[in-house]
Amino acid sequence: ELREKCAELEENNAALEQEIQTLRLKLAEAEGCLEVVRSHLEDVEKIRKELEDERNKTLTELGQLEQKARRDEIEKEGYQREAAELKKRLAKTEEARESVKVEAASLRARMDEAEEERKNIWKEALELRAAIRHTEKARADANKELEELAHRAKILEEQKSEAKGEVEKFKSQLYKQEK
């Protein structure tokens, strides 16, 4: 029974080891995804910064053109056309900026999810390690008990052998007394 229990514990231990291996692979995959998301987030932040710089530059240019148009009434129409073009660029830049904001928020959410999954995997791994330690202790206890039982069986076998010798001796004495 103890051997069966020991074998069962070893099978459980092997299954737990396999599950830990699977979780390690999942963890590596989740960390890889997390790195990809971080990389994308950095790219998005660069693009956002460039778009912000472009927006500021465009706003500055727009302001300069508007001042120039006020100073120079003769070239007013030309400057107004140029200002309109800059406003279109600004609108496109604003649209792109908003799109980047949405994508950045999405990437942050994905990064948070990946981080949460990584934490859950670590928690599971720690629980499995504790279960393995418990299983190994139970197996060691079972092996120790098995050794003790084997020792007791050996002692009983010796006592049985001694008792047989005494029974034979007693039979022999009885036989002699009967004669």
Side-chain angles (χ1 to χ4, degrees), residues 24-43 106-118 121:
R24 284 182 180 148
L25 290 173
K26 284 183 181 178
L27 178 60
E29 183 178 319
E31 287 178 345
C33 289
L34 187 59
E35 285 302 317
V36 169
V37 168
R38 283 184 181 145
S39 174
H40 285 309
L41 186 58
E42 288 174 7
D43 292 343
S106 171
L107 287 173
R108 282 188 188 102
R110 284 176 48 201
M111 190 170 74
D112 290 345
E113 289 172 9
E115 183 65 25
E116 188 62 32
E117 186 176 342
R118 185 183 69 81
I121 288 171

Side-chain angles (χ1 to χ4, degrees), residues 1-177:
E1 187 179 312
L2 285 173
R3 285 186 180 128
E4 287 176 8
K5 185 177 179 182
C6 187
E8 181 181 328
L9 289 172
E10 287 177 357
E11 286 176 13
N12 288 344
N13 192 18
L16 290 171
E17 286 291 341
Q18 182 64 35
E19 193 170 338
I20 284 176
Q21 188 66 9
T22 301
L23 287 172
R24 284 182 180 148
L25 290 173
K26 284 183 181 178
L27 178 60
E29 183 178 319
E31 287 178 345
C33 289
L34 187 59
E35 285 302 317
V36 169
V37 168
R38 283 184 181 145
S39 174
H40 285 309
L41 186 58
E42 288 174 7
D43 292 343
V44 167
E45 286 298 321
K46 280 182 187 177
I47 292 169
R48 187 194 61 76
K49 194 165 200 84
E50 289 173 8
L51 290 173
E52 189 71 34
D53 291 343
E54 180 67 25
R55 177 182 173 269
N56 291 337
K57 181 181 171 186
T58 303
L59 285 172
T60 301
E61 288 176 16
L62 180 62
Q64 289 171 353
L65 287 175
E66 287 174 345
Q67 284 178 0
K68 207 173 191 184
R70 281 190 292 270
R71 274 188 261 132
D72 197 357
E73 287 295 322
I74 300 169
E75 297 177 12
K76 184 177 180 181
E77 286 181 24
Y79 288 123
Q80 285 176 342
R81 282 192 302 271
E82 199 173 332
E85 186 62 35
L86 285 173
K87 284 180 182 178
K88 286 179 187 176
R89 281 177 46 200
L90 178 61
K92 287 180 183 175
T93 301
E94 283 294 326
E95 286 175 14
R97 188 173 150 263
E98 287 303 316
S99 173
V100 167
K101 276 185 184 178
V102 169
E103 188 175 343
S106 171
L107 287 173
R108 282 188 188 102
R110 284 176 48 201
M111 190 170 74
D112 290 345
E113 289 172 9
E115 183 65 25
E116 188 62 32
E117 186 176 342
R118 185 183 69 81
K119 286 178 185 176
N120 289 339
I121 288 171
W122 270 111
K123 183 179 175 184
E124 270 188 64
L126 291 174
E127 289 171 358
L128 286 172
R129 284 185 183 133
I132 286 172
R133 282 193 295 273
H134 177 72
T135 301
E136 287 173 349
K137 185 183 181 312
R139 182 174 43 126
D141 291 346
N143 283 338
K144 184 177 178 183
E145 193 173 334
L146 193 60
E147 288 175 10
E148 288 173 3
L149 287 174
H151 181 68
R152 272 204 234 141
K154 183 178 177 185
I155 290 172
L156 288 174
E157 197 60 44
E158 289 172 359
Q159 288 175 351
K160 178 182 167 186
S161 180
E162 287 175 12
K164 275 186 181 179
E166 286 182 31
V167 166
E168 288 300 320
K169 190 176 178 182
F170 183 69
K171 278 183 182 179
S172 168
Q173 286 175 357
L174 278 176
Y175 180 72
K176 284 181 185 176
Q177 284 178 2

